[in-house]
């Protein structure tokens, strides 16, 4: 007999998905070991939502997720809903509030969510081994054998909850993708998602000084569009609308930004010209846009002076650039600042009900390592809980 510690399941990754899977399986009497190379568990939860953890979204549906296999997420999301997670939060006495668009946050600190997960893992008898490096993974007829910096561990099942490549300074790696490939699963090329855009030097120069200026905007890439706040930065564009569209953007794509979606700028500039012909065009435009942005937009469009002196054609050119600014980002800020990773383990090789690999019984993939990417606003955490729950009930 092997002298290695034997578990029913080993879970790689002590983030949201891994811990939720562990507590779910532990409650069912399974002997569970969670392994992570980090010093502390759930660091991404800790920094999320400005330190208050946007832990779910009450409007969660399949429409809030991006994947090459879009129906895959539906079964797990139906099996564990935002209401189910809220019930756990409330059972732990954690006060919460809804911000905008169904986003739920802790009144206090995101540490409350981490403590709740660790408490539930403790009650379920889960063992957590931090600062543990996995050196190799192999499979035999009994299950999986892991060689680690703390020795050898064996388990009947292995759950990969290692996350994506986003925010490498917090320890993110591509380890989960390497494991998937080791077992013959396809991987959709990972790319940064929910990430700010960067501009080339020429456009950065034109927009210099606007850093910190924010407007409510609609941003489109192809047929996908989002209406939320947009923020100018010293490197390009950020804010919720930009982070959302970045998940759909590919290198070389153009985005179309409406900086003033509540107004038909051309119609209103014409009306202003009739009512106050001596008014400067930048002053007229500053009724709809922040003053500094209005002035810069007039400069960039080459439209200046009194409204009375400007033809419909000139006003139309200016208005079109406000209501439909066509811009091609040079790139994104990359995994360094990306909130999540798009792409990942191809879900066509997995069961949507259990997250188990079809060709490798006992091998599961959950959370961000999969090619399932939520929109901004708590959806990625709900996917972590739901996919963890699905696998935890199948172990």
């Amino acid at each position: 007999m092997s002298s290695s510690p034997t578990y029913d399941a080993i879970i790689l990754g002590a983030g949201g998905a891994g811990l939720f899977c562990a507590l779910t399986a532990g409650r069912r009497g399974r002997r569970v070991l969670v392994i992570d190379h980090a010093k502390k568990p759930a660091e991404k939860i800790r920094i999320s939502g400005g330190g208050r953890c946007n832990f779910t979204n009450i409007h969660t549906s399949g429409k809030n997720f991006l994947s090459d296999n879009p129906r895959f997420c539906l079964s797990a999301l139906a099996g564990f809903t935002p209401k189910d997670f809220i019930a756990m939060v409330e059972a732990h006495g954690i006060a919460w509030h809804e911000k905008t668009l169904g986003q739920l946050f802790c009144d206090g600190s995101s540490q409350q969510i981490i403590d709740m997960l660790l408490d539930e893992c403790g009650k379920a008898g889960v063992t957590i081994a931090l600062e543990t490096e996995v050196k190799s993974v192999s499979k035999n007829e009994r299950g999986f054998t892991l060689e680690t910096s703390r020795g050898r561990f064996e388990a009947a099942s292995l759950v990969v909850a290692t996350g994506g490549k986003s925010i490498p300074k917090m320890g993110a790696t591509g380890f989960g993708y390497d494991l998937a490939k080791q077992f013959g699963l396809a991987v959709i090329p990972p790319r940064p998602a929910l990430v700010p855009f960067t501009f080339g030097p020429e456009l950065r120069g034109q927009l210099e000084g606007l850093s910190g200026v924010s407007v409510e905007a609609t941003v489109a890439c192809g047929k996908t569009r989002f209406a939320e706040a947009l923020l100018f930065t010293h490197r390009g564009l950020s804010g919720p609308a930009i982070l959302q569209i970045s998940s759909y953007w590919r290198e070389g794509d153009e985005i179309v930004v409406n900086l003033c979606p509540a107004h038909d700028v051309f119609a209103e500039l014409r009306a202003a010209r009739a009512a106050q012909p001596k008014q400067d065009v930048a002053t007229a435009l500053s009724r709809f846009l922040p003053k500094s942005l209005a002035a810069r937009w007039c400069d960039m469009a080459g439209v200046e002076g009194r409204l009375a002196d400007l033809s419909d054609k000139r006003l139309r050119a200016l208005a079109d650039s406000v209501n439909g600014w066509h811009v091609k980002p040079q790139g994104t800020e990359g995994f360094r600042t990306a909130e999540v990773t798009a792409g990942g383990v191809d879900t066509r090789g997995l069961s949507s009900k259990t997250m188990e690999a079809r060709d490798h019984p006992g091998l599961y993939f959950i959370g961000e390592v999969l090619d399932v990417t939520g929109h901004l606003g708590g959806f990625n955490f709900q996917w972590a809980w739901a996919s963890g729950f699905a696998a935890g009930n199948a172990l």
Side-chain angles (χ1 to χ4, degrees):
M1 284 290 289
S2 164
S3 60
S4 310
T6 301
Y7 294 88
D8 293 316
I10 293 174
I11 298 171
L12 300 181
L19 292 176
F20 210 85
C21 180
L23 68 89
T24 303
R27 286 172 172 177
R28 297 174 56 242
R30 302 295 187 261
R31 289 163 300 160
V32 179
L33 170 67
V34 179
I35 294 177
D36 201 304
H37 65 285
K39 283 186 179 177
K40 291 181 177 177
E43 281 288 85
K44 262 193 158 180
I45 295 179
R46 185 180 59 77
I47 66 161
S48 70
R52 288 180 185 254
C53 187
N54 179 192
F55 56 80
T56 191
N57 193 300
I58 56 176
H59 301 312
T60 300
S61 78
K63 293 175 186 170
N64 304 115
F65 294 86
L66 175 67
S67 173
D68 274 22
N69 183 18
R71 294 190 61 79
F72 177 82
C73 64
L74 300 180
S75 175
L77 291 172
F80 190 84
T81 68
K83 280 184 181 171
D84 296 321
F85 194 77
I86 293 165
M88 182 186 282
V89 167
E90 291 183 339
H92 279 258
I94 299 171
W96 56 271
H97 60 278
E98 181 181 346
K99 230 171 165 178
T100 54
L101 305 171
Q103 303 170 34
L104 304 192
F105 290 79
C106 298
D107 285 0
S109 150
S110 52
Q111 188 63 42
Q112 294 173 288
I113 299 293
I114 300 172
D115 291 343
M116 174 187 84
L117 296 173
L118 294 176
D119 181 50
E120 291 291 337
C121 280
K123 285 194 276 197
V126 172
T127 304
I128 299 177
L130 299 172
E131 296 184 88
T132 303
E133 297 287 341
V134 176
K135 295 176 177 175
S136 70
V137 175
S138 58
K139 187 173 192 250
N140 57 35
E141 64 281 355
R142 289 200 315 275
F144 296 84
T145 301
L146 279 67
E147 299 291 347
T148 79
S149 56
R150 296 197 183 204
R152 176 181 294 171
F153 297 98
E154 292 184 349
S157 297
L158 178 68
V159 182
V160 181
T162 49
K165 286 185 165 183
S166 55
I167 322 186
K169 74 169 187 275
M170 291 180 60
T173 71
F175 183 69
Y177 309 135
D178 296 338
L179 265 185
K181 289 171 185 171
Q182 178 185 329
F183 287 98
L185 277 84
V187 175
I188 309 291
R191 62 185 197 280
L194 299 183
V195 64
F197 284 133
T198 56
F199 291 152
E202 186 182 348
L203 190 51
R204 272 210 316 272
Q206 288 178 324
L207 299 171
E208 195 174 355
L210 291 177
S211 183
V213 173
S214 178
V215 294
E216 288 296 320
T218 60
V219 184
C221 182
K223 291 179 179 173
T224 305
R225 70 177 55 237
F226 292 96
E228 285 188 70
L230 171 150
L231 175 71
F232 287 87
T233 72
H234 64 284
R235 300 185 67 192
L237 292 175
S238 188
I242 292 297
L243 299 184
Q244 296 280 38
I245 209 70
S246 72
S247 300
Y248 293 82
W249 180 84
R250 303 296 178 101
E251 200 169 334
D253 283 352
E254 179 181 76
I255 60 170
V256 183
V257 181
N258 186 341
L259 293 165
C260 197
H263 297 272
D264 178 338
V265 174
F266 176 59
E268 301 214 22
L269 287 177
R270 283 185 77 195
R273 185 179 60 190
Q276 296 175 285
K278 292 181 180 178
Q279 189 175 47
D280 188 86
V281 64
T283 306
L285 191 58
S286 68
R287 284 175 46 216
F288 321 119
L289 296 177
K291 198 172 178 182
S292 58
L293 185 59
R296 183 64 54 88
W297 231 250
C298 290
D299 286 346
M300 284 169 61
V303 178
E304 56 192 6
R306 299 185 316 163
L307 288 169
D309 301 330
L310 296 170
S311 65
D312 275 4
K313 188 177 178 185
R314 303 290 301 287
L315 290 183
R316 170 74 74 185
L318 174 62
D320 285 353
S321 74
V322 174
N323 283 145
W325 177 32
H326 291 251
V327 60
K328 195 176 281 191
Q330 183 182 54
T332 72
E333 290 192 4
F335 288 115
R336 183 179 66 82
T337 60
E339 293 198 17
V340 292
T341 305
V345 177
D346 190 338
T347 59
R348 283 169 283 224
L350 308 177
S351 159
S352 63
K353 291 188 167 52
T354 64
M355 308 288 128
E356 188 175 24
R358 295 187 194 283
D359 297 337
H360 294 281
L363 178 63
Y364 299 77
F365 291 83
I366 59 173
E368 193 187 339
V369 74
L370 291 172
D371 173 37
V372 176
T373 307
H375 291 166
L376 190 70
F379 299 106
N380 286 293
F381 276 131
Q382 188 58 37
W383 172 246
W385 321 137
S387 59
F389 184 79
N393 273 313
L395 294 170

